[in-house]
Amino acid sequence: MKTEFIKADLNQKDEKYQDLLKRAGELIRKGGLVAFPTETVYGLGANALDEKASASIYQAKGRPSDNPLIVHIADICDLSNLAAFISENAKKLINAYWPGPMTLVFEKKDIVPLETTGGLNTVAIRMPRHTLALDLIRSARTPVAAPSANISGRPSPTKACHVMEDLNGRIDMIIDGGETGIGIESTVIDVTAKVPIILRPGYVTGEMVEAVTGDVKTDPAVAGESAGLKPRAPGMKYHHYAPNAPMYLVKGEAAAVVKYINQKIKEHSVKGWLTGIICTEETKEVYQGGVLINIGNREDEDALGKHLFSALRELNEKGVDIIYSEFFNEEGFGQAIMNRLLKAAAYQIITV
Ligand code: TXA
Ligand code: MG
């Protein structure tokens, strides 16, 4: 299959943009696969109400078929066609954070095929906050199922070239709308019970949920996956974001972390190994050797989140043999950042 790669100019919604949106929308409606940017990461879109289209998403990504897809809508009135029951807490969360980086899990209506929900009777729904994503969903005139547009197990794509790397030749079209803003996938929250449960941490934090609903729980498996708990979001149980090289998170006082990593760089280089390091603006000058990827200022969590996945991809490209990453604060958005880093490192932490 030939994959069309098209740049979209969001500042100028001219005739070319309208034509592109029309063609991409038609492709989706007819069962095709179109990758597009959202404010979190790039999604791989298909008609959510067409079971064959959903099945082809799993095939293109190499994704296990029990891992349900997120259904994207552009207008709130589409929600009641898909969700069987919308609780008061769900309504409050929608008012506060849609459109935005928040996915809600509802009891599903029959119109949503089981192929889209990985066989579950619930459906995950999100209204993204990205002009192109919203325009595309409207143009498709159908809800759009869209997992992150990567090969299963690889870091989620934050740039169109990442999608190209993974899915060229496997999907119909990639729309390049520039780098995504948040860089970490949406917060997934189960709102089928009275108290909302966070199944996957994201930019909408537990504190932000609690501020509008008064109460929130977090799926214990989010924090304790290494302890063997079964997560309630099926996707959270799979090996994720894994770089090609083994990765370790180094935890401790800043100076001790730098000393440890520098020691390792030296030891590895004797063996001819190339060491990759995920560092910050504060530490970019202190490492001696290796491939350094600076993901931003420690105080600026938005920058850390935005650059994390592309850092993991860059380390693959550079062909490093082993990776060390600094440890980050786990408060607020930091919880989502550390959740992804821990998964990428298969929970290997070195305390110094
Ligand atoms: O930011 C995002 O959410 C991106 C963009 C493209 O919107 N999408 C995304 O999709 O990250 P995906 O498929 O990579 O991750 C979906 C997550 C998985 O962990 C999946 O198990 C969970 O949502 N999920 C989906 N439907 C669910 C359901 N009915 N019950 C529980 N978890 C569900
Ligand atoms: Mg994904």
mmCIF file of all heavy atoms in Angstrom, residues 61 63 147-148 150 156 185 200 240, ligand 2:
data_model
loop_
_atom_site.group_PDB
_atom_site.id
_atom_site.type_symbol
_atom_site.label_atom_id
_atom_site.label_comp_id
_atom_site.label_asym_id
_atom_site.label_seq_id
_atom_site.Cartn_x
_atom_site.Cartn_y
_atom_site.Cartn_z
ATOM 1 N N LYS A 61 -1.062 -1.768 13.216
ATOM 2 C CA LYS A 61 -0.206 -1.488 14.380
ATOM 3 C C LYS A 61 0.467 -2.728 14.943
ATOM 4 O O LYS A 61 1.375 -2.631 15.764
ATOM 5 C CB LYS A 61 -1.054 -0.870 15.516
ATOM 6 C CG LYS A 61 -1.342 0.601 15.361
ATOM 7 C CD LYS A 61 -2.138 1.104 16.556
ATOM 8 C CE LYS A 61 -1.498 0.902 17.899
ATOM 9 N NZ LYS A 61 -0.741 2.008 18.443
ATOM 10 N N ARG A 63 -1.274 -4.652 16.888
ATOM 11 C CA ARG A 63 -1.767 -4.469 18.263
ATOM 12 C C ARG A 63 -2.585 -5.673 18.707
ATOM 13 O O ARG A 63 -3.396 -6.192 17.935
ATOM 14 C CB ARG A 63 -2.651 -3.219 18.277
ATOM 15 C CG ARG A 63 -3.314 -2.869 19.610
ATOM 16 C CD ARG A 63 -4.035 -1.545 19.412
ATOM 17 N NE ARG A 63 -4.823 -1.105 20.530
ATOM 18 C CZ ARG A 63 -4.615 0.047 21.176
ATOM 19 N NH1 ARG A 63 -3.601 0.812 20.841
ATOM 20 N NH2 ARG A 63 -5.415 0.420 22.141
ATOM 21 N N PRO A 147 -6.092 4.944 18.050
ATOM 22 C CA PRO A 147 -5.015 4.689 19.013
ATOM 23 C C PRO A 147 -3.823 5.548 18.614
ATOM 24 O O PRO A 147 -3.839 6.174 17.548
ATOM 25 C CB PRO A 147 -4.706 3.216 18.783
ATOM 26 C CG PRO A 147 -4.991 3.007 17.325
ATOM 27 C CD PRO A 147 -6.141 3.944 16.983
ATOM 28 N N SER A 148 -2.799 5.589 19.434
ATOM 29 C CA SER A 148 -1.583 6.285 19.041
ATOM 30 C C SER A 148 -1.037 5.630 17.767
ATOM 31 O O SER A 148 -1.118 4.409 17.607
ATOM 32 C CB SER A 148 -0.563 6.215 20.176
ATOM 33 O OG SER A 148 -0.436 4.886 20.638
ATOM 34 N N ASN A 150 1.572 4.456 16.338
ATOM 35 C CA ASN A 150 2.883 3.797 16.360
ATOM 36 C C ASN A 150 2.677 2.293 16.200
ATOM 37 O O ASN A 150 1.581 1.780 16.430
ATOM 38 C CB ASN A 150 3.568 4.061 17.711
ATOM 39 C CG ASN A 150 2.650 3.744 18.868
ATOM 40 O OD1 ASN A 150 1.772 4.540 19.210
ATOM 41 N ND2 ASN A 150 2.810 2.564 19.462
ATOM 42 N N SER A 156 4.880 6.444 21.539
ATOM 43 C CA SER A 156 3.843 7.136 20.770
ATOM 44 C C SER A 156 4.480 8.254 19.952
ATOM 45 O O SER A 156 5.444 8.877 20.378
ATOM 46 C CB SER A 156 2.793 7.720 21.718
ATOM 47 O OG SER A 156 2.125 6.684 22.384
ATOM 48 N N GLU A 185 0.083 10.704 26.073
ATOM 49 C CA GLU A 185 -1.307 10.388 25.750
ATOM 50 C C GLU A 185 -2.272 10.855 26.848
ATOM 51 O O GLU A 185 -1.879 11.056 27.996
ATOM 52 C CB GLU A 185 -1.498 8.876 25.542
ATOM 53 C CG GLU A 185 -0.507 8.225 24.613
ATOM 54 C CD GLU A 185 0.725 7.762 25.339
ATOM 55 O OE1 GLU A 185 1.015 8.271 26.436
ATOM 56 O OE2 GLU A 185 1.419 6.882 24.802
ATOM 57 N N ARG A 200 -5.248 5.562 33.367
ATOM 58 C CA ARG A 200 -3.947 5.918 32.781
ATOM 59 C C ARG A 200 -3.710 7.395 33.065
ATOM 60 O O ARG A 200 -4.527 8.222 32.711
ATOM 61 C CB ARG A 200 -3.968 5.684 31.264
ATOM 62 C CG ARG A 200 -2.672 6.096 30.565
ATOM 63 C CD ARG A 200 -2.669 5.769 29.069
ATOM 64 N NE ARG A 200 -3.485 6.672 28.292
ATOM 65 C CZ ARG A 200 -3.625 6.640 26.961
ATOM 66 N NH1 ARG A 200 -2.989 5.695 26.281
ATOM 67 N NH2 ARG A 200 -4.385 7.499 26.337
ATOM 68 N N HIS A 240 5.612 -1.405 26.715
ATOM 69 C CA HIS A 240 5.328 -0.141 26.061
ATOM 70 C C HIS A 240 6.561 0.709 25.896
ATOM 71 O O HIS A 240 7.445 0.674 26.742
ATOM 72 C CB HIS A 240 4.373 0.656 26.948
ATOM 73 C CG HIS A 240 2.978 0.652 26.442
ATOM 74 N ND1 HIS A 240 2.196 -0.458 26.481
ATOM 75 C CD2 HIS A 240 2.223 1.631 25.892
ATOM 76 C CE1 HIS A 240 1.013 -0.159 25.992
ATOM 77 N NE2 HIS A 240 0.993 1.103 25.624
HETATM 78 MG MG MG B 2 -0.777 3.691 22.377
#
